[in-house]
Structures are given as structure tokens and as C-alpha cells.
Amino acid sequence: MSTTATQSSGLATVRAEIERACREASRDPASVTLVAVSKTFFADAIEPVLAAGQKVFGENRVQEAQKKWPPLLASHPGVELHMIGPLQSNKAKEAVALFDAIHSVDRPSLCEALGKEIARQGKRPKLFVEINSGAEVQKAGVLPQEADDFLKRCRDAYGLVIDGLMCIPPAEEAPAPHFALTAKIARRNGLKLLSMGMSADFPEAIAMGATHVRVGSAIFGAREKH
Ligand SMILES: *Cc1c(COP(=O)(O)O)cnc(C)c1O
């Protein structure tokens, strides 16, 4: 298959799986946003997915997104870009300018920088606080037992409106308990959005209430190490 055919059939398969998972969970498919994770792929791989009508894309590096996306966004009005990777506070300015959502809010210093930039630029991306649901030492995110305090601090100390939570379950564990824990923290804090589920587990995430699934390789194919 040509690369174009590969990506559009990957997208069609993922869309069908989302619809099936929604049917099984008695959910409206319109309540789940597919974030097509295009990190490491160049415009030639992204264009067929844009042509197939995909409107929301995820990237994990500010600099890479700044290089790739401005021309694509200019030629495809209405496309949203989501930041899904770790974000340094000194990139908050660029991130607020470029992204429509940030899924990786996880530290007071980043909250402070985002609060300033949102006020300065008058542009408010949707914000997700990342939960380190498996309490993994090497992983970003707020520990589950610290999440309620952190969310309160986001509002009270930094004036941020937090829209939802995000999690990346530990690679070697069943994801469902991590999705359930993240959903529970969101519920008790009155947060409506849940960014959870990747290529390997997005149907399970939808069953547990995901509103945003972040799917890369199932659409674009395998990535080179990055
Ligand atoms: C790369 C990435 C994804 C997509 O992963 P796939 O397994 O390719 O679907 C989702 N979320 C985050 C945070 C990522 O970095």
C-alpha cells in the first residue's frame, strides 16, 4: 500500500473501533474526540489524514510542532492542535500561542507560567492535569493522592481553569484500573474531560469514560525511535 492508503485505512479502522466502543458503552460517538498523534511524522504523512477530514492532532514537542504545523494549519482552517507531551515552563509562551489544548499540566511552575501567558495572550487552551496513576518515579504527572490539592491550587493560586485529567497507564500493567482511578478523581473534582487511551487500549478507555483518545501508531503506522 502507498503511505496515503495506509494512513487513511488506519484512520478508518480507528474511527470504526471508536464507534463500536461507544455503542457497547451506550455512549454517543460525538462525546469522544479522536486526537490523531502525529509526532515524528512529516507533513506528507499528515496530509492524507487531514484530507480524510480529521480535525484534531496531537504533538509531544513544541519545537517540532512549530516547524511542521503553521503551513498545515494555514491550509486547513478549523484544525485543532493538542500538546500531549511534557512541557517545560520556558515553553509556555509558545505552547499557549500554538496549541488549542495542553494535556500535560503537572507542576506549579508550569501552572504559573501558563497562567501568565493565558492572561497576556488572551487565549485560553483547554487544560488537562496529568495524573501519574501508577506513581511511577520516572513518569511526569501529579500523584493520585495529591491531585485534589493540586487542582485546588491551579484554580486558587494560578487562576487556571482546568477542564479535565489525562493519564498514561504503566506500560506493563492492565490499563483499566488506571482509567478508573483517573475517572474517579475527575468526577469528585467536577471535571468533565478525560484524556485517556492510546492505540493499544483506547476502546477500554472509552468504556471507562474517556472523552479524548490519543491515537498515533494505529493511524500513522509504527514510529522510528524518537
Ligand atoms: C505517543 C503518544 C501517544 C500515542 O501513542 P500510540 O501508542 O502510538 O497510539 C499518546 N499519548 C501520549 C502522551 C504520547 O506521547
Side-chain angles (χ1 to χ4, degrees):
M1 265 197 297
S2 71
T3 46
T4 300
T6 305
Q7 282 115 20
S8 14
S9 81
L11 179 67
T13 306
V14 169
R15 282 177 172 165
E17 286 279 302
I18 290 173
E19 289 199 5
R20 193 178 53 80
C22 285
R23 225 172 16 249
E24 282 174 8
S26 304
R27 294 186 56 192
D28 178 357
S31 68
V32 178
T33 298
L34 171 59
V35 182
V37 177
S38 50
K39 65 186 185 192
T40 80
F41 289 97
F42 293 109
D44 62 334
I46 299 172
E47 259 152 11
V49 179
L50 283 163
Q54 175 62 24
K55 293 289 186 209
V56 183
F57 290 81
E59 290 284 343
N60 71 336
R61 293 182 177 197
V62 173
Q63 266 183 322
E64 181 184 335
Q66 277 178 319
K67 269 194 216 140
K68 273 179 359 193
W69 276 96
L72 291 168
L73 292 172
S75 53
H76 294 84
V79 164
E80 273 186 31
L81 210 51
H82 290 209
M83 174 61 180
I84 62 165
L87 182 58
Q88 293 172 333
S89 305
N90 64 11
K91 295 272 169 60
K93 179 180 171 187
E94 286 91 339
V96 169
L98 183 61
F99 292 102
D100 299 287
I102 296 171
H103 293 230
S104 47
V105 177
D106 67 347
R107 318 181 294 293
S109 58
L110 177 59
C111 291
E112 186 177 1
L114 287 172
K116 280 189 188 146
E117 283 306 323
I118 287 167
R120 206 179 60 81
Q121 298 184 31
K123 176 173 183 275
R124 191 183 85 76
K126 285 199 184 81
L127 299 178
F128 296 77
V129 165
E130 180 173 351
I131 303 297
N132 183 357
S133 61
E136 296 172 279
V137 287
Q138 80 287 6
K139 206 173 255 180
V142 178
L143 292 171
Q145 66 271 25
E146 292 170 3
D148 295 359
D149 281 348
F150 183 83
L151 287 163
K152 190 171 181 308
R153 199 164 162 201
C154 285
R155 285 187 293 266
D156 298 349
Y158 306 111
L160 294 180
V161 178
I162 301 296
D163 300 284
L165 301 181
M166 180 270 239
C167 77
I168 309 172
E172 62 291 349
E173 286 181 33
H178 296 275
F179 296 151
L181 174 61
T182 305
K184 186 174 152 195
I185 297 169
R187 231 174 5 253
R188 72 172 178 242
N189 284 282
L191 300 175
K192 292 203 168 59
L193 303 184
L194 281 170
S195 167
M196 37 188 220
M198 319 201 319
S199 291
D201 54 21
F202 67 88
E204 277 168 280
I206 289 171
M208 317 231 53
T211 62
H212 291 68
V213 293
R214 311 176 309 271
V215 180
S217 46
I219 296 170
F220 291 97
R223 284 180 297 274
E224 309 268 326
K225 272 276 175 232
H226 183 48

